[in-house]
Amino acid sequence: MSASLGPFEHGSGIKAMGAGGVSYVGAQETTALAANPAHASALGQRYDIGLDLMLIRPDSSITGNALAPDERYPSDGRRWYPIPQAGFAMPLNERWAFGVTMLQAGLGPDYTRSPYARFGGGSRASLTLGSASIASALAWRPVEQHSFGAGLVFGYEFLSVKGLEFLTSTDPQFQVSTTPDRVTNQGTDGALSVGFTLGWTGQLTPQLSAGAGYRSKAWTQKLKAYRGLLPDGGSLELPAVFGVAFAWQPQDAWTVALEWQHFAYGAEKAFGNPLSRLAEGHLLGSPDGPGFGLRDQDAYKLGVSWKVSTDLELRAGYLRANQSIQRSDTLFALQAPVALTTHYTAGFTQALGQWELTGALVYCPRQNVDGSGSIPEGFGGGEANVNNQFSSMGLSLGRRF
């Protein structure tokens, strides 16, 4: 799997997903607290539960390789992924509010015919990285127009890797790992993580509001079972994510929001270190060993909402991001096909008394990244090419008190 923006969903909550993923300003659901804890001041007392069902279609090919003919490899072992959502918020007094929500992340394909088999890997290859977290939020509103928030994020991360036997040689001439017997097929290993969030929301004018949020990296225990694959003896930490947003309300029924969000992949070794580290003498598992080779990603989001009536609100959105996969690092990107850069979204909320039913649809057209110098000559040269297509539908139920 991979979510719609690397290992992350493109928005925090079903309402945000329908409006281009805008999450730092104008939140109306408790699931947005994972992006900006200051939202708790404006949510009142409510809870939300939901499910986002993702259909992911990663695909890959290898061309010009001396070891076998050109071939395409669809990741067809599993394509449907349900992502649960839930959150709760309540005011503590006139100035303070508290909330808690879930945060999910993950990536990894499942090839029933492995693209790595030609190099000596298993006949089937898969990588499953998942992270499930609980994010708290404490918000303070010193004046009516501004709120500030902070929270802690406690999580559990797990990893399973299969089919990379071609990286396990112990022959000094071909060895690429510090610990070859801890590269692949070690089952599922887990680790605890902790991080924090900071946020602000403000009403700048009667028509213009803004918000900003910062979620730190997830400081995570090492995944010892894969210490021969991951840099620094098993380090795999989700990166910091931060951004800012503005919402303009030209009329009571209409809101237009713009958001910028940054994903700091390059600061985390497992995500940012390129495959070229091998040629520099840094083996897999070493302190500065290779990772996925992703560059930092910036996402720009547009969300529009229309209050059709007191009970019905419609949403639409668009998101565009730069490509995080580098063309020289597509060989390992076959295990992290995070190629998506464009999102089209739509959604609705229907009020039913104190209850709200919200839905969202997301479509990401297929995006290709063709390798350039991506397969080392020691593996027969040529190019590894990766692409992905994504769609999702989500529903949530909210209750206001």
Side-chain angles (χ1 to χ4, degrees):
M1 68 167 287
S2 63
S4 55
L5 275 178
F8 303 103
E9 294 185 288
H10 72 286
S12 296
I14 303 299
K15 290 183 180 181
M17 291 178 185
V22 174
S23 304
Y24 292 125
V25 68
Q28 301 173 357
E29 58 194 335
T30 55
T31 42
L33 296 174
N36 188 346
H39 286 317
S41 291
L43 289 171
Q45 185 171 347
R46 64 175 291 142
Y47 67 79
D48 300 272
I49 56 172
L51 183 72
D52 187 34
L53 186 60
M54 303 188 304
L55 173 60
I56 305 169
R57 296 180 174 179
D59 203 340
S60 66
S61 65
I62 293 181
T63 58
N65 181 251
L67 302 182
D70 295 356
E71 193 167 357
R72 173 178 167 263
Y73 302 92
S75 173
D76 53 4
R78 183 182 178 187
R79 288 184 169 174
W80 291 94
Y81 295 87
I83 307 298
Q85 304 194 5
F88 173 78
M90 62 178 293
L92 300 177
N93 55 40
E94 291 183 356
R95 300 205 179 275
W96 292 88
F98 174 78
V100 64
T101 190
M102 298 171 61
L103 174 64
Q104 313 282 350
L107 59 79
D110 185 1
Y111 297 102
T112 56
R113 289 188 308 109
S114 170
Y116 300 116
R118 65 175 65 208
F119 308 123
S123 61
R124 183 168 184 163
S126 66
L127 180 148
T128 302
L129 167 64
S131 175
S133 304
I134 298 295
S136 64
L138 183 64
W140 173 53
R141 182 163 56 191
V143 295
E144 188 64 29
Q145 295 82 9
H146 296 276
S147 295
F148 301 87
L152 293 174
V153 182
F154 298 98
Y156 178 77
E157 180 181 278
F158 57 91
L159 176 70
S160 173
V161 181
K162 299 177 183 178
L164 302 185
E165 290 88 346
F166 73 105
L167 301 175
T168 63
S169 175
T170 57
D171 185 332
Q173 184 178 355
F174 302 105
Q175 185 171 340
V176 296
S177 171
T178 58
T179 316
D181 61 344
R182 292 295 182 270
V183 170
T184 189
N185 301 353
Q186 300 300 305
T188 300
D189 194 14
L192 299 176
S193 67
V194 64
F196 67 87
T197 58
L198 300 172
W200 160 79
T201 61
Q203 190 70 43
L204 305 182
T205 73
Q207 288 80 36
L208 183 65
S209 57
Y214 176 87
R215 186 169 66 241
S216 74
K217 65 177 287 182
W219 286 276
T220 308
Q221 296 173 311
K222 291 185 178 181
L223 295 160
K224 293 291 189 178
Y226 292 98
R227 61 183 180 272
L229 176 65
L230 301 171
D232 201 18
S235 177
L236 180 56
E237 298 179 315
L238 293 176
V241 182
F242 52 89
V244 62
F246 295 89
W248 177 51
Q249 194 171 15
Q251 299 177 4
D252 289 345
W254 288 90
T255 301
V256 180
L258 295 172
E259 180 172 288
W260 164 75
Q261 189 173 38
H262 182 78
F263 301 84
Y265 295 119
E268 306 307 322
K269 295 178 179 180
F271 286 98
N273 283 6
L275 181 60
S276 61
R277 295 291 168 89
L278 270 180
E280 299 168 1
H282 301 285
L283 299 183
L284 291 166
S286 66
D288 207 19
F292 292 123
L294 301 181
R295 61 167 64 94
D296 285 5
Q297 190 169 42
D298 293 289
Y300 301 90
K301 309 176 185 181
L302 168 67
V304 179
S305 63
W306 174 34
K307 192 78 172 177
V308 180
S309 67
T310 56
D311 294 330
L312 178 63
E313 185 170 355
L314 301 180
R315 302 180 183 87
Y318 174 76
L319 181 153
R320 181 72 179 179
N322 66 294
Q323 182 56 252
S324 62
I325 298 176
Q326 303 188 68
R327 294 183 64 194
S328 58
D329 283 275
T330 51
L331 181 61
F332 278 8
L334 302 181
Q335 290 286 69
V338 291
L340 302 169
T341 60
T342 303
H343 300 57
Y344 301 95
T345 75
F348 74 92
T349 294
Q350 176 67 54
L352 306 166
Q354 296 296 105
W355 295 87
E356 295 176 346
L357 178 65
T358 297
L361 295 173
V362 181
Y363 173 68
C364 303
R366 188 166 295 279
Q367 179 73 44
N368 302 288
V369 182
D370 294 331
S372 177
S374 56
I375 302 179
E377 290 301 322
F379 292 131
E383 303 299 348
N385 311 302
V386 62
N387 64 76
N388 202 352
Q389 184 183 43
F390 173 98
S391 55
S392 72
M393 52 185 176
L395 285 174
S396 69
L397 193 64
R399 175 70 160 87
R400 295 167 291 153
F401 294 91

